[in-house]
Amino acid sequence: TLSLDGSTVTGGSRRGVDMTGATATINSSTVSSSVDGLFLGGSVGAGSTAQVSASQITGGVSGAVVGSASTLTLENSSVSGTGSTGRGIGLFEGTVNAVGSTITGTQNGVVFSDVVGTTDSGRLDLNGSQVSGTNGSAIAVRATTTAQINVNNGSTLVGGNGTMLEVANGAT
């Protein structure tokens, strides 16, 4: 279990916070890295869970990566992927719940991808939140990926390329 309250974590060329099969509570904190700000690794039945409140998470490649069986809950927080092809969140068959939060990527806001050898789906629930892709789509769903997306309660999707939702052939 990891607990950050009023903390600053700088990962440099490593992930800011890297968890597999663990639990984190991050409150009023800043987490950054030139790679992934927050990495929630997991495998079928053994994911990670992070509750992030009033915090900023930034990564050059991904603000956050949420793996299979993992859950990221954001409350009044921001997650940003700032590199030239940065994504706010890379969602690999995990779950993201965002309330009053912003998710931004230089390229795409949220990218759904599958995990080889599984048939699980990724899930994104937005409540009063914004997802933005500065130069690309707000949300991109890669081929062979299954995504569940709920945009609720005044949430917005902004694609810098004019596309809110980009779904590749073979995705559902």
Side-chain angles (χ1 to χ4, degrees), residues 75-94:
E75 294 180 359
N76 302 313
S77 295
S78 65
V79 178
S80 303
T82 59
S84 61
T85 58
R87 58 187 176 197
I89 295 177
L91 192 48
F92 293 83
E93 299 178 356

Side-chain angles (χ1 to χ4, degrees), residues 88-165:
I89 295 177
L91 192 48
F92 293 83
E93 299 178 356
T95 299
V96 174
N97 302 304
V99 178
S101 296
T102 59
I103 301 167
T104 306
T106 305
Q107 186 62 33
N108 298 306
V110 174
V111 178
F112 284 83
S113 299
D114 67 340
V115 176
V116 176
T118 70
T119 57
D120 295 335
S121 62
R123 182 180 177 113
L124 175 65
D125 291 318
L126 301 173
N127 285 285
S129 296
Q130 179 171 311
V131 176
S132 302
T134 304
N135 298 318
S137 302
I139 299 173
V141 182
R142 300 292 181 231
T144 71
T145 302
T146 301
Q148 298 176 10
I149 303 166
N150 298 299
V151 181
N152 302 307
N153 302 318
S155 294
T156 57
L157 303 177
V158 179
N161 65 358
T163 304
M164 292 186 313
L165 177 62

